Amino acid sequence: MNLSGMPQADLQSINVDVPGNGYYPALSTAHFIEHYAIAQEYASKSDVLLEKLLYAQAEINQELANTQLTNGQTLSAAQALFYKRAVYSKAKASLLVSKLGSTHRDSATAQSQAAIDNHEHWLRESINAMRQLQGLSPNLTVELL
């Protein structure tokens, strides 16, 4: 069941894996649906979820392009956790903005305000996860003046 109390679609039948590049971990639409309370209207559209995940993944990878998180090894378990949180949160925020355009005009004001608040929340979650991930880098140093 999802948060609305409605039965959820079979996650395995709609699961699409988003491969990592060997350095960053792989993602999955089933994990995204289950752990980030994706609305049923999007949960059954694996192509929409895949698009949002790929876009978020590309944005996060671009933001991390100049950050050396490890010394040529794969990410640690904690780093992988924060990486996934950053990508999934950014994708969730993107889905919430998409939902703003699909609401009916009579209830759009209240729904759009709630969605904007949620959108900002999920963007903050993504940024916080990025900061945590970057904070785990063994290459960060502080120089005393």
Side-chain angles (χ1 to χ4, degrees), residues 1 24 110 115 120:
M1 291 230 176
Y24 295 119
E120 291 169 0

Side-chain angles (χ1 to χ4, degrees), residues 3-71:
L3 293 179
S4 67
M6 299 297 292
Q8 215 168 28
D10 178 24
L11 294 178
Q12 294 310 315
S13 68
I14 58 173
N15 184 39
V16 177
D17 287 325
V18 179
N21 61 1
Y23 184 70
Y24 295 119
L27 307 166
S28 93
T29 57
H31 180 86
F32 186 41
I33 292 166
E34 184 177 9
H35 295 279
Y36 288 83
I38 303 304
Q40 185 62 32
E41 62 196 79
Y42 292 117
S44 60
K45 298 177 182 175
S46 60
D47 56 332
V48 172
L49 293 179
L50 182 61
E51 175 189 336
K52 299 296 183 185
L53 279 176
L54 287 171
Y55 185 74
Q57 182 186 43
E59 281 188 346
I60 296 297
N61 289 357
Q62 185 175 13
E63 288 178 39
L64 292 171
N66 295 326
T67 305
Q68 186 177 0
L69 298 173
T70 64
N71 294 322

